[in-house]
PDB file of all heavy atoms in Angstrom:
ATOM      1  N   GLU A   1       0.801  -1.167   0.011  1.00  0.00           N
ATOM      2  CA  GLU A   1       0.026   0.000  -0.046  1.00  0.00           C
ATOM      3  C   GLU A   1       0.843   1.291   0.047  1.00  0.00           C
ATOM      4  O   GLU A   1       1.958   1.206   0.501  1.00  0.00           O
ATOM      5  CB  GLU A   1      -0.879   0.086   1.182  1.00  0.00           C
ATOM      6  CG  GLU A   1      -2.002  -0.990   1.216  1.00  0.00           C
ATOM      7  CD  GLU A   1      -3.025  -0.857   2.326  1.00  0.00           C
ATOM      8  OE1 GLU A   1      -2.590  -0.204   3.339  1.00  0.00           O
ATOM      9  OE2 GLU A   1      -4.119  -1.441   2.152  1.00  0.00           O
ATOM     10  N   LEU A   2       0.338   2.332  -0.579  1.00  0.00           N
ATOM     11  CA  LEU A   2       0.975   3.550  -0.592  1.00  0.00           C
ATOM     12  C   LEU A   2       0.029   4.696  -0.129  1.00  0.00           C
ATOM     13  O   LEU A   2      -1.169   4.481  -0.124  1.00  0.00           O
ATOM     14  CB  LEU A   2       1.430   3.905  -2.013  1.00  0.00           C
ATOM     15  CG  LEU A   2       2.455   2.898  -2.684  1.00  0.00           C
ATOM     16  CD1 LEU A   2       2.705   3.257  -4.194  1.00  0.00           C
ATOM     17  CD2 LEU A   2       3.746   3.003  -1.887  1.00  0.00           C
ATOM     18  N   TYR A   3       0.654   5.840   0.276  1.00  0.00           N
ATOM     19  CA  TYR A   3      -0.269   7.013   0.557  1.00  0.00           C
ATOM     20  C   TYR A   3      -1.188   7.394  -0.667  1.00  0.00           C
ATOM     21  O   TYR A   3      -0.771   7.228  -1.803  1.00  0.00           O
ATOM     22  CB  TYR A   3       0.637   8.234   0.919  1.00  0.00           C
ATOM     23  CG  TYR A   3       1.421   8.103   2.093  1.00  0.00           C
ATOM     24  CD1 TYR A   3       2.860   8.219   2.067  1.00  0.00           C
ATOM     25  CD2 TYR A   3       0.879   7.817   3.303  1.00  0.00           C
ATOM     26  CE1 TYR A   3       3.664   8.103   3.187  1.00  0.00           C
ATOM     27  CE2 TYR A   3       1.676   7.770   4.463  1.00  0.00           C
ATOM     28  CZ  TYR A   3       3.008   7.934   4.445  1.00  0.00           C
ATOM     29  OH  TYR A   3       3.808   7.798   5.554  1.00  0.00           O
ATOM     30  N   HIS A   4      -2.278   7.864  -0.290  1.00  0.00           N
ATOM     31  CA  HIS A   4      -3.309   8.179  -1.317  1.00  0.00           C
ATOM     32  C   HIS A   4      -2.773   9.352  -2.053  1.00  0.00           C
ATOM     33  O   HIS A   4      -2.427  10.391  -1.400  1.00  0.00           O
ATOM     34  CB  HIS A   4      -4.672   8.510  -0.639  1.00  0.00           C
ATOM     35  CG  HIS A   4      -5.829   8.561  -1.467  1.00  0.00           C
ATOM     36  ND1 HIS A   4      -5.833   9.435  -2.614  1.00  0.00           N
ATOM     37  CD2 HIS A   4      -6.963   7.835  -1.584  1.00  0.00           C
ATOM     38  CE1 HIS A   4      -6.948   9.298  -3.284  1.00  0.00           C
ATOM     39  NE2 HIS A   4      -7.749   8.320  -2.674  1.00  0.00           N
ATOM     40  N   PRO A   5      -2.755   9.476  -3.326  1.00  0.00           N
ATOM     41  CA  PRO A   5      -2.190  10.505  -4.026  1.00  0.00           C
ATOM     42  C   PRO A   5      -2.942  11.858  -3.830  1.00  0.00           C
ATOM     43  O   PRO A   5      -2.250  12.946  -3.871  1.00  0.00           O
ATOM     44  CB  PRO A   5      -2.400  10.270  -5.466  1.00  0.00           C
ATOM     45  CG  PRO A   5      -2.423   8.758  -5.589  1.00  0.00           C
ATOM     46  CD  PRO A   5      -3.135   8.314  -4.255  1.00  0.00           C
ATOM     47  N   GLN A   6      -4.238  11.829  -3.412  1.00  0.00           N
ATOM     48  CA  GLN A   6      -4.925  13.031  -3.174  1.00  0.00           C
ATOM     49  C   GLN A   6      -4.451  13.872  -1.971  1.00  0.00           C
ATOM     50  O   GLN A   6      -4.567  14.985  -1.895  1.00  0.00           O
ATOM     51  CB  GLN A   6      -6.424  12.714  -2.775  1.00  0.00           C
ATOM     52  CG  GLN A   6      -7.343  13.836  -2.656  1.00  0.00           C
ATOM     53  CD  GLN A   6      -7.514  14.681  -4.027  1.00  0.00           C
ATOM     54  OE1 GLN A   6      -7.554  14.084  -5.123  1.00  0.00           O
ATOM     55  NE2 GLN A   6      -7.450  16.039  -3.926  1.00  0.00           N
ATOM     56  N   ILE A   7      -3.726  13.067  -1.012  1.00  0.00           N
ATOM     57  CA  ILE A   7      -3.144  13.845   0.105  1.00  0.00           C
ATOM     58  C   ILE A   7      -2.094  14.761  -0.310  1.00  0.00           C
ATOM     59  O   ILE A   7      -2.056  15.975   0.278  1.00  0.00           O
ATOM     60  CB  ILE A   7      -2.578  12.877   1.077  1.00  0.00           C
ATOM     61  CG1 ILE A   7      -3.496  11.857   1.710  1.00  0.00           C
ATOM     62  CG2 ILE A   7      -1.604  13.355   2.054  1.00  0.00           C
ATOM     63  CD1 ILE A   7      -3.017  10.732   2.558  1.00  0.00           C
ATOM     64  N   PHE A   8      -1.418  14.556  -1.275  1.00  0.00           N
ATOM     65  CA  PHE A   8      -0.379  15.499  -1.792  1.00  0.00           C
ATOM     66  C   PHE A   8      -0.991  16.675  -2.414  1.00  0.00           C
ATOM     67  O   PHE A   8      -0.375  17.765  -2.351  1.00  0.00           O
ATOM     68  CB  PHE A   8       0.664  14.686  -2.716  1.00  0.00           C
ATOM     69  CG  PHE A   8       1.252  13.597  -2.049  1.00  0.00           C
ATOM     70  CD1 PHE A   8       0.821  12.232  -2.071  1.00  0.00           C
ATOM     71  CD2 PHE A   8       2.498  13.793  -1.276  1.00  0.00           C
ATOM     72  CE1 PHE A   8       1.518  11.282  -1.413  1.00  0.00           C
ATOM     73  CE2 PHE A   8       3.079  12.829  -0.526  1.00  0.00           C
ATOM     74  CZ  PHE A   8       2.597  11.453  -0.692  1.00  0.00           C
ATOM     75  N   GLN A   9      -2.113  16.565  -2.957  1.00  0.00           N
ATOM     76  CA  GLN A   9      -2.854  17.763  -3.554  1.00  0.00           C
ATOM     77  C   GLN A   9      -3.343  18.662  -2.445  1.00  0.00           C
ATOM     78  O   GLN A   9      -3.316  19.889  -2.528  1.00  0.00           O
ATOM     79  CB  GLN A   9      -4.075  17.304  -4.457  1.00  0.00           C
ATOM     80  CG  GLN A   9      -3.599  16.519  -5.750  1.00  0.00           C
ATOM     81  CD  GLN A   9      -2.505  17.255  -6.485  1.00  0.00           C
ATOM     82  OE1 GLN A   9      -2.585  18.448  -6.918  1.00  0.00           O
ATOM     83  NE2 GLN A   9      -1.475  16.531  -6.845  1.00  0.00           N
ATOM     84  N   TYR A  10      -3.667  18.057  -1.320  1.00  0.00           N
ATOM     85  CA  TYR A  10      -3.961  18.850  -0.226  1.00  0.00           C
ATOM     86  C   TYR A  10      -2.690  19.608   0.375  1.00  0.00           C
ATOM     87  O   TYR A  10      -2.762  20.728   0.922  1.00  0.00           O
ATOM     88  CB  TYR A  10      -4.583  18.051   0.976  1.00  0.00           C
ATOM     89  CG  TYR A  10      -6.067  17.724   0.671  1.00  0.00           C
ATOM     90  CD1 TYR A  10      -6.477  16.954  -0.463  1.00  0.00           C
ATOM     91  CD2 TYR A  10      -7.042  18.171   1.556  1.00  0.00           C
ATOM     92  CE1 TYR A  10      -7.871  16.679  -0.615  1.00  0.00           C
ATOM     93  CE2 TYR A  10      -8.339  17.853   1.484  1.00  0.00           C
ATOM     94  CZ  TYR A  10      -8.689  17.138   0.220  1.00  0.00           C
ATOM     95  OH  TYR A  10     -10.098  16.875   0.016  1.00  0.00           O
ATOM     96  N   LEU A  11      -1.677  18.927   0.329  1.00  0.00           N
ATOM     97  CA  LEU A  11      -0.330  19.482   0.830  1.00  0.00           C
ATOM     98  C   LEU A  11      -0.073  20.704  -0.103  1.00  0.00           C
ATOM     99  O   LEU A  11       0.418  21.703   0.370  1.00  0.00           O
ATOM    100  CB  LEU A  11       0.724  18.423   0.710  1.00  0.00           C
ATOM    101  CG  LEU A  11       2.141  18.919   1.012  1.00  0.00           C
ATOM    102  CD1 LEU A  11       2.284  19.430   2.478  1.00  0.00           C
ATOM    103  CD2 LEU A  11       3.233  17.701   0.805  1.00  0.00           C
ATOM    104  N   LYS A  12      -0.353  20.588  -1.357  1.00  0.00           N
ATOM    105  CA  LYS A  12      -0.065  21.548  -2.357  1.00  0.00           C
ATOM    106  C   LYS A  12      -0.858  22.833  -1.966  1.00  0.00           C
ATOM    107  O   LYS A  12      -0.402  23.988  -2.089  1.00  0.00           O
ATOM    108  CB  LYS A  12      -0.306  21.077  -3.789  1.00  0.00           C
ATOM    109  CG  LYS A  12       0.065  22.159  -4.781  1.00  0.00           C
ATOM    110  CD  LYS A  12      -0.205  21.683  -6.153  1.00  0.00           C
ATOM    111  CE  LYS A  12       0.396  22.493  -7.254  1.00  0.00           C
ATOM    112  NZ  LYS A  12      -0.126  23.893  -7.204  1.00  0.00           N
ATOM    113  N   ILE A  13      -2.238  22.691  -1.526  1.00  0.00           N
ATOM    114  CA  ILE A  13      -3.001  23.760  -1.103  1.00  0.00           C
ATOM    115  C   ILE A  13      -2.189  24.676  -0.047  1.00  0.00           C
ATOM    116  O   ILE A  13      -2.033  25.834  -0.039  1.00  0.00           O
ATOM    117  CB  ILE A  13      -4.308  23.194  -0.612  1.00  0.00           C
ATOM    118  CG1 ILE A  13      -5.209  22.652  -1.738  1.00  0.00           C
ATOM    119  CG2 ILE A  13      -5.146  24.462   0.104  1.00  0.00           C
ATOM    120  CD1 ILE A  13      -6.494  22.080  -1.360  1.00  0.00           C
ATOM    121  N   TRP A  14      -1.693  23.883   0.837  1.00  0.00           N
ATOM    122  CA  TRP A  14      -0.998  24.627   2.059  1.00  0.00           C
ATOM    123  C   TRP A  14       0.308  25.261   1.471  1.00  0.00           C
ATOM    124  O   TRP A  14       0.519  26.470   1.755  1.00  0.00           O
ATOM    125  CB  TRP A  14      -0.605  23.674   3.141  1.00  0.00           C
ATOM    126  CG  TRP A  14       0.440  24.076   4.031  1.00  0.00           C
ATOM    127  CD1 TRP A  14       1.576  23.382   4.367  1.00  0.00           C
ATOM    128  CD2 TRP A  14       0.468  25.305   4.789  1.00  0.00           C
ATOM    129  NE1 TRP A  14       2.333  24.067   5.244  1.00  0.00           N
ATOM    130  CE2 TRP A  14       1.673  25.363   5.566  1.00  0.00           C
ATOM    131  CE3 TRP A  14      -0.318  26.355   5.036  1.00  0.00           C
ATOM    132  CZ2 TRP A  14       1.985  26.287   6.401  1.00  0.00           C
ATOM    133  CZ3 TRP A  14      -0.081  27.445   5.920  1.00  0.00           C
ATOM    134  CH2 TRP A  14       1.153  27.376   6.600  1.00  0.00           C
ATOM    135  N   LEU A  15       1.168  24.588   0.787  1.00  0.00           N
ATOM    136  CA  LEU A  15       2.361  25.183   0.166  1.00  0.00           C
ATOM    137  C   LEU A  15       2.131  26.421  -0.701  1.00  0.00           C
ATOM    138  O   LEU A  15       2.904  27.346  -0.684  1.00  0.00           O
ATOM    139  CB  LEU A  15       3.207  24.100  -0.578  1.00  0.00           C
ATOM    140  CG  LEU A  15       3.614  22.776   0.433  1.00  0.00           C
ATOM    141  CD1 LEU A  15       4.329  21.859  -0.603  1.00  0.00           C
ATOM    142  CD2 LEU A  15       4.588  23.370   1.465  1.00  0.00           C
ATOM    143  N   ASP A  16       1.103  26.310  -1.369  1.00  0.00           N
ATOM    144  CA  ASP A  16       0.726  27.403  -2.336  1.00  0.00           C
ATOM    145  C   ASP A  16       0.228  28.591  -1.551  1.00  0.00           C
ATOM    146  O   ASP A  16       0.381  29.868  -1.994  1.00  0.00           O
ATOM    147  CB  ASP A  16      -0.241  27.044  -3.411  1.00  0.00           C
ATOM    148  CG  ASP A  16       0.344  26.096  -4.462  1.00  0.00           C
ATOM    149  OD1 ASP A  16       1.454  25.971  -4.462  1.00  0.00           O
ATOM    150  OD2 ASP A  16      -0.511  25.525  -5.190  1.00  0.00           O
ATOM    151  N   VAL A  17      -0.373  28.550  -0.462  1.00  0.00           N
ATOM    152  CA  VAL A  17      -1.016  29.553   0.333  1.00  0.00           C
ATOM    153  C   VAL A  17       0.033  30.237   1.191  1.00  0.00           C
ATOM    154  O   VAL A  17      -0.169  31.431   1.720  1.00  0.00           O
ATOM    155  CB  VAL A  17      -2.191  29.111   1.068  1.00  0.00           C
ATOM    156  CG1 VAL A  17      -1.763  28.485   2.475  1.00  0.00           C
ATOM    157  CG2 VAL A  17      -3.198  30.191   1.333  1.00  0.00           C
ATOM    158  N   ILE A  18       1.112  29.665   1.438  1.00  0.00           N
ATOM    159  CA  ILE A  18       2.121  30.195   2.348  1.00  0.00           C
ATOM    160  C   ILE A  18       2.444  31.731   1.936  1.00  0.00           C
ATOM    161  O   ILE A  18       2.469  32.611   2.872  1.00  0.00           O
ATOM    162  CB  ILE A  18       3.389  29.290   2.498  1.00  0.00           C
ATOM    163  CG1 ILE A  18       2.987  28.115   3.399  1.00  0.00           C
ATOM    164  CG2 ILE A  18       4.613  30.133   3.203  1.00  0.00           C
ATOM    165  CD1 ILE A  18       4.154  27.152   3.463  1.00  0.00           C
ATOM    166  N   PRO A  19       2.924  31.944   0.667  1.00  0.00           N
ATOM    167  CA  PRO A  19       3.319  33.323   0.372  1.00  0.00           C
ATOM    168  C   PRO A  19       2.067  34.190   0.456  1.00  0.00           C
ATOM    169  O   PRO A  19       2.260  35.476   0.762  1.00  0.00           O
ATOM    170  CB  PRO A  19       3.717  33.208  -1.091  1.00  0.00           C
ATOM    171  CG  PRO A  19       3.984  31.813  -1.258  1.00  0.00           C
ATOM    172  CD  PRO A  19       3.040  31.002  -0.417  1.00  0.00           C
ATOM    173  N   LYS A  20       0.875  33.821   0.372  1.00  0.00           N
ATOM    174  CA  LYS A  20      -0.246  34.747   0.358  1.00  0.00           C
ATOM    175  C   LYS A  20      -0.589  35.105   1.878  1.00  0.00           C
ATOM    176  O   LYS A  20      -1.375  36.057   2.027  1.00  0.00           O
ATOM    177  CB  LYS A  20      -1.550  33.996  -0.235  1.00  0.00           C
ATOM    178  CG  LYS A  20      -1.261  33.521  -1.756  1.00  0.00           C
ATOM    179  CD  LYS A  20      -2.543  32.801  -2.186  1.00  0.00           C
ATOM    180  CE  LYS A  20      -2.277  32.371  -3.609  1.00  0.00           C
ATOM    181  NZ  LYS A  20      -3.418  31.544  -4.115  1.00  0.00           N
ATOM    182  N   LEU A  21      -0.045  34.385   2.807  1.00  0.00           N
ATOM    183  CA  LEU A  21      -0.336  34.747   4.150  1.00  0.00           C
ATOM    184  C   LEU A  21       0.530  35.876   4.719  1.00  0.00           C
ATOM    185  O   LEU A  21       0.197  36.423   5.753  1.00  0.00           O
ATOM    186  CB  LEU A  21      -0.128  33.529   5.037  1.00  0.00           C
ATOM    187  CG  LEU A  21      -1.080  32.315   4.826  1.00  0.00           C
ATOM    188  CD1 LEU A  21      -0.551  31.223   5.755  1.00  0.00           C
ATOM    189  CD2 LEU A  21      -2.477  32.799   5.293  1.00  0.00           C
ATOM    190  N   TRP A  22       1.466  36.270   3.891  1.00  0.00           N
ATOM    191  CA  TRP A  22       2.390  37.320   4.301  1.00  0.00           C
ATOM    192  C   TRP A  22       1.609  38.678   4.273  1.00  0.00           C
ATOM    193  O   TRP A  22       0.987  38.983   3.262  1.00  0.00           O
ATOM    194  CB  TRP A  22       3.586  37.462   3.507  1.00  0.00           C
ATOM    195  CG  TRP A  22       4.378  38.710   3.482  1.00  0.00           C
ATOM    196  CD1 TRP A  22       4.411  39.663   2.627  1.00  0.00           C
ATOM    197  CD2 TRP A  22       5.140  39.315   4.716  1.00  0.00           C
ATOM    198  NE1 TRP A  22       5.165  40.750   3.010  1.00  0.00           N
ATOM    199  CE2 TRP A  22       5.542  40.490   4.247  1.00  0.00           C
ATOM    200  CE3 TRP A  22       5.297  38.782   5.963  1.00  0.00           C
ATOM    201  CZ2 TRP A  22       6.360  41.274   5.155  1.00  0.00           C
ATOM    202  CZ3 TRP A  22       6.053  39.601   6.816  1.00  0.00           C
ATOM    203  CH2 TRP A  22       6.516  40.807   6.357  1.00  0.00           C
ATOM    204  N   THR A  23       1.752  39.467   5.306  1.00  0.00           N
ATOM    205  CA  THR A  23       1.174  40.830   5.266  1.00  0.00           C
ATOM    206  C   THR A  23       2.231  41.715   6.187  1.00  0.00           C
ATOM    207  O   THR A  23       2.659  41.287   7.219  1.00  0.00           O
ATOM    208  CB  THR A  23      -0.287  40.935   5.992  1.00  0.00           C
ATOM    209  OG1 THR A  23      -0.156  40.381   7.228  1.00  0.00           O
ATOM    210  CG2 THR A  23      -1.236  40.276   5.107  1.00  0.00           C
ATOM    211  N   PRO A  24       2.520  42.821   5.660  1.00  0.00           N
ATOM    212  CA  PRO A  24       3.399  43.743   6.446  1.00  0.00           C
ATOM    213  C   PRO A  24       2.748  43.966   7.884  1.00  0.00           C
ATOM    214  O   PRO A  24       1.698  43.945   8.027  1.00  0.00           O
ATOM    215  CB  PRO A  24       3.410  45.016   5.621  1.00  0.00           C
ATOM    216  CG  PRO A  24       3.125  44.596   4.269  1.00  0.00           C
ATOM    217  CD  PRO A  24       2.145  43.518   4.416  1.00  0.00           C
ATOM    218  N   SER A  25       3.701  44.149   8.830  1.00  0.00           N
ATOM    219  CA  SER A  25       3.200  44.313  10.172  1.00  0.00           C
ATOM    220  C   SER A  25       2.389  45.542  10.431  1.00  0.00           C
ATOM    221  O   SER A  25       1.591  45.625  11.341  1.00  0.00           O
ATOM    222  CB  SER A  25       4.379  44.394  11.155  1.00  0.00           C
ATOM    223  OG  SER A  25       5.278  45.505  10.789  1.00  0.00           O
ATOM    224  N   SER A  26       2.452  46.497   9.384  1.00  0.00           N
ATOM    225  CA  SER A  26       1.675  47.727   9.554  1.00  0.00           C
ATOM    226  C   SER A  26       0.170  47.427   9.210  1.00  0.00           C
ATOM    227  O   SER A  26      -0.684  48.165   9.569  1.00  0.00           O
ATOM    228  CB  SER A  26       2.207  48.767   8.615  1.00  0.00           C
ATOM    229  OG  SER A  26       2.241  48.304   7.195  1.00  0.00           O
ATOM    230  N   ASN A  27      -0.095  46.287   8.623  1.00  0.00           N
ATOM    231  CA  ASN A  27      -1.406  45.999   8.129  1.00  0.00           C
ATOM    232  C   ASN A  27      -2.172  45.210   9.376  1.00  0.00           C
ATOM    233  O   ASN A  27      -2.400  44.099   9.309  1.00  0.00           O
ATOM    234  CB  ASN A  27      -1.393  45.035   6.906  1.00  0.00           C
ATOM    235  CG  ASN A  27      -2.780  44.855   6.324  1.00  0.00           C
ATOM    236  OD1 ASN A  27      -3.846  45.225   6.982  1.00  0.00           O
ATOM    237  ND2 ASN A  27      -2.759  44.440   5.222  1.00  0.00           N
ATOM    238  N   LEU A  28      -2.484  46.016  10.321  1.00  0.00           N
ATOM    239  CA  LEU A  28      -3.065  45.342  11.603  1.00  0.00           C
ATOM    240  C   LEU A  28      -4.347  44.626  11.441  1.00  0.00           C
ATOM    241  O   LEU A  28      -4.513  43.681  12.049  1.00  0.00           O
ATOM    242  CB  LEU A  28      -3.166  46.573  12.674  1.00  0.00           C
ATOM    243  CG  LEU A  28      -1.759  47.209  13.183  1.00  0.00           C
ATOM    244  CD1 LEU A  28      -2.120  48.209  14.096  1.00  0.00           C
ATOM    245  CD2 LEU A  28      -0.959  46.166  13.672  1.00  0.00           C
TER     246      LEU A  28
END
């Protein structure tokens, strides 16, 4: 048995969103 391939697509959702979470500290 192997990990379900769909799991890695969920991982991609997280990896892709990391840069979008950045906001300057002034943006309270």
Side-chain angles (χ1 to χ4, degrees):
E1 291 186 339
L2 298 172
Y3 294 121
H4 197 301
Q6 187 63 40
I7 290 175
F8 298 93
Q9 296 308 309
Y10 281 63
L11 176 60
K12 187 176 190 304
I13 292 174
W14 161 237
L15 296 175
D16 287 349
V17 84
I18 286 176
K20 300 177 183 178
L21 292 174
W22 162 250
T23 53
S25 58
S26 59
N27 192 346
L28 295 179

